[in-house]
Amino acid sequence: MALNCAKQKTYWLRCLKTFLPNGYTSMDSNRMMIACFIISALDILSALDASMTTDERSSYIEWIYASQQDTGGFQGFPRTPDANPEPNDSHSDARLTIIWEPATVPSTFFALAALLLLRDDFSRVGRRECLTWLTKCQRADCSFGQNLNDKGEVDGGYDTRFGYLAMHIRWMLGGDLLATQEPAWPDVNIDGLVRSIRALQAYDGGFGDLPCSEPHGGYTNCAVNALAIVDKLADGIPDEDALIHWLVLRQTRQFEPDNEDDEDEDEEQGGFATATTSSAIGFNGRCNKIADTCYTWWICDTLKTLGQIELIDKSKATSYLLNKTQHFIGGFGKYPSDPPDIYHSYLGLAALGILGCPDVKPVHSTTSISVDAVDYLEKVIRPGYS
Ligand SMILES: [Zn+2]
């Protein structure tokens, strides 16, 4: 089966132009991420320009800028007067929450990426404020958190997602160029971040969220791509051979827990199945887990960054996405037969861009957006920084 481009476009246009299913209300504070995935998916499908009028493009850009904060960074959704209900007994707490929503590292990354995809020129981005705020999101141990709370303390997890996103914000805003200028702009502690990431490689090669914790495909991808964007791959991976070995072992033909047909044909090695004769193989994110669409992205993309994508069978990995988890209404499910969701649909498409599927644009390995969009950043926006 090929990528059903017409259905894929229909799925993403439905996400862009109509209300999302009510299940997404729990992600209300992450609307910037959802918006970026929708815009980027249409871009990867070469359908972005035809998906919106000039006025709509402008309104999307205004929507993003409406969530920028004066003190730097973007919050997860714009502050609008309509979002603030009148205070009363039952809503007073909700009103306080809505009025003060901190800028977050993820929302700032997704806002900047979406602006790039919409070919904004970043002229209204508060670069000095954002880069200054970013330095405050780095902890004393040099890991990054999600946001600053109202006391100015860093909130959020210690895992590699935030370091990855922070390093890409720095790169998109030219912080790496500005740090070398006189007088130098505020900059984060790169060597410290590299040290903090080095400490996360587990005994079997992958990276976990904390030292000595179980390695995970998503954290490993973020660790490797954070190092790559600051040109510190060689310094930040204590054992690259073990890492590549762990990544390659994530390929599995086990799609569902009770899939007896697959198990019959599997070659059991050390307790988990490896691909043999099947025309489709997926990837898991941890040992002894079944394949899941998003890990085709997390694992294949990490190998691409490391220059080792040819170690896996790209044809069978592509077949897993197209024949097992692509949904007939468009998008991709987490597992075969699952309905599509925005997260897995986006990472499924991005993975196809990494695997060389001819129906989608090539995707840039560390950012997950199209190579086209990254070219625009590097050839049009970043030259203006230096
Ligand atoms: Zn998943």
Side-chain angles (χ1 to χ4, degrees):
M1 188 190 295
L3 185 70
N4 189 333
C5 294
K7 291 291 186 186
Q8 293 291 340
K9 288 173 190 171
T10 301
Y11 172 79
W12 288 107
L13 280 172
R14 193 184 303 122
C15 293
L16 180 69
K17 305 275 179 157
T18 67
F19 291 112
L20 296 174
N22 65 3
Y24 287 95
T25 53
S26 63
M27 300 178 70
D28 213 34
S29 61
N30 289 319
R31 269 183 277 164
M32 197 62 72
M33 177 187 75
I34 293 173
C36 183
F37 282 169
I38 294 170
I39 292 168
S40 190
L42 288 165
D43 176 52
I44 290 172
L45 289 164
S46 300
L48 188 60
D49 290 340
S51 300
M52 59 186 70
T53 64
T54 303
D55 285 349
E56 284 174 329
R57 181 184 295 264
S58 298
S59 71
Y60 297 152
I61 290 173
E62 293 307 315
W63 183 86
I64 295 168
Y65 274 118
S67 56
Q68 184 173 213
Q69 298 208 344
D70 295 341
T71 49
F74 291 74
Q75 63 183 61
F77 56 92
R79 284 173 292 180
T80 63
D82 291 339
N84 299 329
E86 287 300 313
N88 58 40
D89 286 343
S90 60
H91 289 106
S92 56
D93 289 345
R95 184 172 183 268
L96 287 173
T97 302
I98 291 168
I99 290 172
W100 195 83
E101 182 74 20
T104 72
V105 171
S107 296
T108 302
F109 169 83
F110 289 118
L112 294 173
L115 287 171
L116 269 186
L117 291 160
L118 293 167
R119 296 300 186 264
D120 179 71
D121 62 4
F122 282 10
S123 59
R124 287 187 281 161
V125 175
R127 273 200 302 154
R128 181 176 290 278
E129 293 80 5
C130 189
L131 290 168
T132 303
W133 163 78
L134 202 60
T135 64
K136 297 174 185 171
C137 293
Q138 188 170 27
R139 300 187 179 89
D141 70 356
C142 295
S143 67
F144 280 83
Q146 176 180 274
N147 59 272
L148 299 178
N149 64 25
D150 54 357
K151 300 186 185 74
E153 300 159 342
V154 182
D155 275 351
Y158 286 73
D159 60 74
T160 55
R161 291 173 301 170
F162 303 116
Y164 160 81
L165 295 166
M167 290 308 93
H168 281 73
I169 293 167
R170 175 180 180 268
W171 167 69
M172 285 193 276
L173 295 181
D176 53 335
L177 304 173
L178 297 165
T180 63
Q181 291 184 2
E182 284 297 332
W185 283 40
D187 198 14
V188 298
N189 183 343
I190 296 293
D191 290 339
L193 177 67
V194 172
R195 272 197 308 279
S196 74
I197 292 176
R198 274 185 70 87
L200 300 176
Q201 188 172 28
Y203 74 94
D204 54 357
F207 287 73
D209 58 340
L210 294 168
C212 302
S213 65
E214 181 186 17
H216 179 281
Y219 297 140
T220 300
N221 178 283
C222 288
V224 170
N225 282 333
L227 296 169
I229 201 66
V230 295
D231 202 20
K232 296 283 187 183
L233 271 180
D235 300 332
I237 303 175
D239 189 339
E240 186 168 338
D241 288 346
L243 168 61
I244 293 167
H245 187 248
W246 183 85
L247 288 165
V248 170
L249 287 181
R250 301 281 58 75
Q251 60 184 342
T252 174
R253 200 160 49 79
Q254 284 199 317
F255 303 139
E256 294 168 282
D258 299 317
N259 192 338
E260 293 180 1
D261 288 343
D262 283 344
E263 287 169 5
D264 287 345
E265 297 170 22
D266 284 335
E267 225 174 58
E268 294 292 339
Q269 291 187 356
F272 61 93
T274 59
T276 52
T277 57
S278 173
S279 61
I281 53 170
F283 292 82
N284 62 25
R286 288 180 286 160
C287 290
N288 298 318
K289 293 287 187 179
I290 61 172
D292 168 344
T293 290
C294 68
Y295 290 107
T296 306
W297 163 262
W298 296 120
I299 302 300
C300 293
D301 176 66
T302 312
L303 286 165
K304 176 99 173 180
T305 299
L306 294 168
Q308 302 291 347
I309 187 74
E310 302 303 331
L311 289 177
I312 57 114
D313 188 326
K314 292 191 288 184
S315 170
K316 290 183 177 181
T318 301
S319 177
Y320 168 76
L321 295 173
L322 297 181
N323 298 314
K324 298 291 184 183
T325 63
Q326 178 176 211
H327 199 276
F328 69 89
I329 68 163
F332 293 82
K334 176 183 172 83
Y335 300 129
S337 306
D338 274 6
D341 66 83
I342 287 177
Y343 170 78
H344 288 94
S345 295
Y346 182 68
L347 292 185
L349 265 190
L352 290 174
I354 286 292
L355 292 165
C357 175
D359 296 322
V360 299
K361 285 185 180 180
V363 167
H364 183 253
S365 65
T366 78
T367 58
S368 89
I369 59 176
S370 69
V371 171
D372 277 359
V374 172
D375 280 351
Y376 171 75
L377 174 74
E378 293 192 326
K379 291 174 182 166
V380 177
I381 295 185
R382 281 173 59 88
Y385 295 159
S386 50

